[in-house]
């Protein structure tokens, strides 16, 4: 009888020492379990050998005006187009307010840089447009590299998967893609050679 | 489990010895032999048995295929061809597995449609229904990862497109979506690393499905089966023992369904596939027209109907997750649409919408196809979010029979349209 009264008073009095110990033990075990889980999650991230394939050098001399080549960087296709003066003019004339994504999406520039044609290229090499050739919608490879391809309504690239149109600066102009094609980090080693990554 | 008198009587001494220690046979007998099933269930109630059968087919043929498949980017495509041409009966195993996936989905869609029509999600079967939605999601994940394994062009680009769905998180938290996608890929693009991990998970998930199916059947046997009247079993005359009545019916339906299965396997094994998947994966060239397998087409149409990436992804996932909330969205007091003269029409409109979305998902995303996909997508969501709650309140249901037995036997207690019980057969 005495014991039952003790038990009843414990529950009535609110948190006891035992409640505290139980909660502390559960929290300890919970944090431990979460920490033990991390290696099992992190093992799926890109491994050291994948990260090591970071840069690619490309010789641009064989690419004539109006032509384009595709190279591979980090397993992704990179579009390099030697643009014609008309294509550059067309891209430069577009006002920022007409664009659906106003960020330059240039890995060498801050996020806030506006998507002008100049910000999408390198100074003194405005004819060269270098882009990661992956549609920002769901990752298809847009058409437009070969001269026989459909280049969409804006003369740049057209993604056949879900109908995104990019202009001659690789900016999204129409369709479901949310962003301009990414400009990867790259630098001119000489007038005819670039290093991507 | 539902309480009913078990007629299990172990006769052999081994049976008695076992029954006193681990009464598995007693449980199986109670759940699958003398378990009371409504006496009026129709052939749509055979789909559960079909689904168990197809889960078994997929696991058994899958284990065989795994003995001959090489899950690397360099060898996967060739090893599937090797299975089809060189391995003894490899063609049969591969065809059973590939066509089996389609049959599995065909059966599950009929099963879900039956649940929707007869209100099988309503109390007390909400948890049963939700476990079913979980099984559907697991099936989709398993099928998607399985489709990546032959490493053809469609495999590769389906993986690319579907994993990229998660990059839409970038528009909420910049950078997080990309991190998730790279984590799924194990690199900066879909590669052999991705293929190998999908293979590992594709082998794991069917067993998770089997576990969920166990819970699904457990929940079913607690609540008891629904039936075309939507009434509960009240008296012994409302039910018949599962064996032999329901089991024979399941067996006949299985035989018919397996004929269809066999026709595909032996005559047109590639009919449900896509020619582009017999071209080895090429990361630098997207096929001009990417389509998923037929069973994903309605969701794909919903994804493409919405011109915003994040909203399209949200709509696609919600179209399935919405099913979880149906038990509470349907406000009707009556379970079965058989007695719901207004809702019945909306139900068929919903089925038409899903079939139409399936058709539109196979078409290129342009012109009138996009417009129609939008119309049917709107109806898909309206059906659950607006029509179900409103019609349930406003509609006047038809009078329900007093019991399952009455719906079958008529008020006299005699079979409808039969004057007298059949006399013993004489020869």
């Amino acid at each position: 009888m005495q014991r039952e009264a003790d038990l009843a008073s414990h529950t009535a009095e609110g948190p006891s020492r035992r409640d505290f110990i139980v909660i502390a033990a559960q929290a300890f075990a919970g944090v431990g379990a979460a920490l033990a889980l991390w290696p099992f999650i992190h093992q799926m991230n890109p491994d050291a050998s994948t990260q090591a394939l970071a840069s690619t050098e490309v010789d641009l001399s064989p690419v004539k005006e109006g032509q384009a080549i595709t190279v591979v960087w980090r397993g992704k296709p990179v579009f390099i187009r030697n643009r014609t003066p008309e294509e550059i003019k067309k891209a430069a004339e577009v006002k920022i307010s007409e664009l659906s994504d106003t960020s330059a999406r240039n890995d060498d520039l801050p996020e806030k840089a506006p998507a002008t044609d100049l910000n999408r290229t390198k100074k003194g090499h405005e004819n060269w447009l270098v882009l990661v050739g992956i549609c920002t919608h769901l990752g298809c490879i847009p058409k437009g590299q070969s001269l026989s391809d459909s280049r969409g309504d804006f003369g740049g690239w057209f993604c056949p998967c879900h109908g995104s149109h990019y202009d001659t600066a690789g900016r999204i102009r129409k369709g479901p893609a949310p962003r301009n094609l990414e400009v990867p980090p790259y630098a001119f080693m000489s007038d005819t050679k670039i290093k991507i990554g | 489990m539902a309480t009913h008198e078990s007629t299990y009587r172990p006769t052999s001494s081994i049976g008695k010895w076992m029954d006193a220690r681990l009464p598995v046979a007693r449980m199986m007998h109670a759940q699958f032999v003398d378990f009371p099933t409504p006496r009026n269930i129709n052939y749509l109630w055979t789909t559960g048995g079909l689904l168990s059968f197809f889960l078994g087919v997929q696991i058994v043929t899958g284990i065989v295929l795994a003995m001959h498949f090489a899950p690397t980017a360099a060898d996967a495509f060739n090893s599937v061809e090797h299975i089809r041409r060189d391995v003894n009966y490899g063609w049969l195993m591969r065809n059973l597995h590939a066509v089996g996936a389609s049959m599995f989905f065909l059966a599950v869609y009929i099963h879900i449609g039956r649940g929707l029509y007869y209100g099988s999600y309503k109390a007390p079967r909400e948890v049963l229904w939700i476990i079913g939605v979980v099984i559907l999601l697991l099936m989709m994940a398993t099928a998607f990862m399985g489709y990546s394994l032959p490493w053809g062009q469609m495999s590769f680009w389906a993986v690319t497109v579907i994993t990229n769905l998660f990059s839409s998180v970038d528009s909420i938290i910049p950078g997080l979506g990309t991190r998730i996608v790279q984590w799924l890929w194990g690199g900066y693009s879909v590669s052999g690393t991705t293929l190998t991990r999908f293979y590992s998970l594709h082998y794991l998930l069917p067993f998770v499905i089997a576990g969920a199916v166990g819970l699904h059947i457990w929940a079913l046997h607690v609540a008891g089966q629904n039936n075309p009247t939507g009434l509960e079993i009240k008296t012994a005359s409302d039910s018949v023992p599962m064996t032999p009545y329901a089991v024979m019916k399941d067996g006949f339906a299985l035989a018919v369904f397996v004929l269809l299965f066999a026709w595909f396997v032996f005559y047109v094994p590639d009919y449900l596939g896509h020619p582009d998947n017999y071209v080895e994966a090429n990361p630098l060239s997207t096929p001009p027209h990417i389509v998923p397998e037929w069973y994903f087409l309605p969701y794909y149409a919903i994804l493409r109907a919405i011109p915003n990436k994040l909203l399209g992804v949200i709509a696609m996932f919600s179209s399935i997750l919405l099913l979880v909330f149906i038990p509470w969205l349907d406000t009707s007091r009556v379970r079965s649409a058989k007695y719901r003269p207004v809702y019945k029409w909306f139900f068929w409109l919903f089925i038409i919408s899903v079939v139409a979305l399936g058709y539109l998902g196979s078409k290129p995303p342009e012109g009138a196809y996009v417009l129609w996909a939008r119309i049917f997508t709107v109806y898909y969501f309206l059906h659950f979010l607006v029509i179900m709650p409103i019609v349930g309140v406003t509609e006047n249901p038809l009078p329900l029979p007093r019991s399952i037995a009455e719906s079958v036997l008529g008020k006299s207690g005699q079979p409808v349209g039969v004057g007298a019980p059949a006399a013993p057969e004489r020869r």
Side-chain angles (χ1 to χ4, degrees):
Chain A
M1 272 316 189
Q2 184 58 41
R3 239 180 86 90
E4 274 173 29
D6 275 356
L7 284 173
S9 72
H10 263 296
T11 49
E13 274 167 22
S16 65
R17 283 160 56 91
R18 175 159 297 176
D19 292 336
F20 175 78
I21 290 168
V22 168
I23 292 168
Q26 285 171 342
F28 186 79
V31 170
L35 286 175
L37 200 58
W38 177 243
F40 292 92
I41 295 170
H42 191 50
Q43 52 86 17
M44 280 173 68
N45 273 319
D47 60 31
S49 66
T50 308
Q51 288 177 333
L53 301 166
S55 65
T56 306
E57 287 185 23
V58 186
D59 178 15
L60 301 179
S61 52
V63 189
K64 303 280 176 291
E65 188 179 289
Q67 288 185 337
I69 57 166
T70 305
V71 298
V72 179
W73 169 66
R74 284 181 157 184
K76 300 190 244 195
V78 171
F79 293 167
I80 302 173
R81 193 188 279 191
N82 189 351
R83 299 185 296 170
T84 62
E86 300 84 70
E87 285 175 336
I88 301 171
K89 189 159 165 275
K90 212 171 144 191
E93 277 170 354
V94 177
K95 293 194 194 73
I96 294 295
S97 57
E98 294 172 44
L99 299 170
S100 58
D101 178 16
T102 56
S103 166
R105 303 289 171 205
N106 185 333
D107 291 346
D108 290 326
L109 293 176
E111 174 94 15
K112 270 177 267 174
T116 58
D117 192 51
L118 289 176
N119 279 344
R120 304 272 296 159
T121 52
K122 296 282 181 210
K123 201 169 159 44
H125 301 283
E126 282 83 1
N127 59 321
W128 292 104
L129 184 62
V130 180
L131 303 166
V132 174
I134 293 178
C135 181
T136 57
H137 182 224
L138 294 174
C140 297
I141 313 284
K143 296 275 171 201
Q145 284 297 90
S146 133
L147 289 172
S148 58
D149 282 353
S150 158
R151 291 185 164 184
D153 295 353
F154 297 88
W157 287 267
F158 169 69
C159 184
C161 292
H162 307 97
S164 292
H165 300 252
Y166 295 92
D167 68 10
T168 52
R171 296 172 296 200
I172 180 66
R173 300 299 293 276
K174 188 177 154 191
R179 290 162 171 235
N180 300 327
L181 291 176
E182 182 192 350
V183 178
Y186 71 97
F188 276 86
M189 317 290 287
S190 70
D191 274 355
T192 58
K193 199 171 197 182
I194 59 167
K195 184 180 176 190
I196 307 170
Chain B
M1 300 256 168
T3 48
H4 59 274
E5 284 295 311
S6 174
T7 57
Y8 181 66
R9 300 281 177 276
T11 47
S12 68
S13 57
I14 294 173
K16 285 174 188 156
W17 186 88
M18 199 63 192
D19 195 48
R21 287 161 180 80
L22 184 64
V24 172
R26 177 176 295 277
M27 188 195 76
M28 298 303 281
H29 193 272
Q31 297 306 321
F32 302 104
V33 178
D34 57 14
F35 186 77
T37 54
R39 67 188 298 162
N40 61 335
I41 49 176
N42 60 31
Y43 273 106
L44 291 171
W45 266 267
T46 60
T47 48
L50 285 180
L51 287 163
S52 309
F53 172 78
F54 279 107
L55 180 61
V57 168
Q58 292 306 90
I59 289 179
V60 171
T61 54
I63 288 170
V64 172
L65 292 174
M67 293 180 187
H68 305 277
F69 174 72
T72 63
D75 300 326
F77 184 84
N78 289 332
S79 73
V80 172
E81 290 309 305
H82 161 74
I83 289 169
R84 298 193 74 172
R85 289 149 202 263
D86 303 338
V87 174
N88 301 327
Y89 285 108
W91 60 272
L92 179 64
M93 297 299 155
R94 182 269 168 198
N95 290 355
L96 288 171
H97 199 71
V99 177
S102 280
M103 294 293 118
F104 204 164
F105 273 97
L106 176 60
V108 89
Y109 286 144
I110 298 172
H111 191 72
I112 295 168
R114 180 260 279 162
L116 283 174
Y117 185 81
Y118 293 111
S120 301
Y121 45 82
K122 293 175 85 73
R125 298 186 180 85
E126 302 95 322
V127 172
L128 169 62
W129 174 260
I130 291 168
I131 296 169
V133 178
V134 171
I135 295 172
L136 175 65
L137 287 169
L138 287 168
M139 280 175 65
M140 289 175 155
T142 310
F144 161 67
M145 288 195 258
Y147 192 58
S148 75
L149 302 182
W151 212 236
Q153 273 289 65
M154 278 294 166
S155 301
F156 184 91
W157 291 100
V159 173
T160 301
V161 167
I162 301 303
T163 49
N164 261 306
L165 294 176
F166 293 96
S167 69
S168 60
V169 176
D170 274 342
S171 28
I172 309 171
I173 304 167
L176 180 66
T178 308
R179 288 292 300 274
I180 293 173
V181 173
Q182 290 180 352
W183 176 73
L184 290 170
W185 289 341
Y188 304 102
S189 57
V190 175
S191 66
T193 313
T194 323
L195 170 67
T196 310
R197 63 185 52 178
F198 277 16
Y199 174 64
S200 168
L201 295 173
H202 181 71
Y203 206 124
L204 166 72
L205 285 186
F207 298 97
V208 179
I209 294 177
V213 167
L215 293 177
H216 194 64
I217 295 174
W218 186 357
L220 172 71
H221 282 221
V222 170
Q225 284 171 290
N226 189 26
N227 61 80
T229 63
L231 300 172
E232 297 292 353
I233 294 174
K234 288 171 203 151
T235 60
S237 64
D238 290 339
S239 71
V240 288
M242 180 166 169
T243 306
Y245 298 94
V247 170
M248 284 309 288
K249 199 162 185 143
D250 281 352
F252 181 70
L254 179 65
V256 173
F257 212 81
V258 164
L259 277 180
L260 177 70
F261 183 31
W263 179 70
F264 274 112
V265 166
F266 294 113
Y267 292 94
V268 281
D270 294 316
Y271 180 75
L272 297 166
H274 197 288
D276 270 323
N277 222 26
Y278 297 97
V279 176
E280 192 167 1
N282 177 0
L284 295 184
S285 157
T286 309
H289 184 45
I290 298 186
V291 282
E293 292 279 84
W294 69 267
Y295 39 81
F296 289 143
L297 287 171
Y299 313 105
Y300 194 57
I302 291 175
L303 169 75
R304 299 192 307 183
I306 292 166
N308 174 292
K309 177 174 167 180
L310 178 66
L311 294 180
V313 172
I314 289 174
M316 189 182 78
F317 283 113
S318 347
S319 68
I320 300 161
L321 291 178
L322 200 52
L323 297 174
V324 168
F325 302 100
I326 289 178
W328 297 277
L329 288 168
D330 184 353
T331 52
S332 176
R333 288 168 292 115
V334 173
R335 279 203 191 101
S336 172
K338 202 174 160 186
Y339 305 101
R340 300 184 59 188
V342 180
Y343 177 75
K344 189 187 268 182
W345 293 104
F346 286 111
F347 171 84
W348 288 112
L349 200 53
F350 172 74
I351 298 295
I352 290 168
S353 297
V354 173
V355 173
L357 282 169
Y359 168 75
L360 294 164
S362 71
K363 294 287 159 194
E366 51 199 32
Y369 295 130
V370 177
L371 177 70
W372 281 106
R374 286 182 187 161
I375 292 170
F376 287 118
T377 299
V378 167
Y379 185 73
Y380 186 103
F381 287 98
L382 272 186
H383 180 82
F384 292 124
L385 295 173
V386 178
I387 288 165
M388 259 195 174
I390 292 178
V391 172
V393 174
T394 58
E395 166 187 63
N396 250 336
L398 301 176
L400 294 172
R402 274 180 305 167
S403 68
I404 294 172
E406 187 191 292
S407 77
V408 180
L409 304 173
K411 287 191 179 139
S412 62
Q414 299 295 322
V416 178
V418 178
E425 194 177 352
R426 256 183 251 171
R427 282 177 199 248

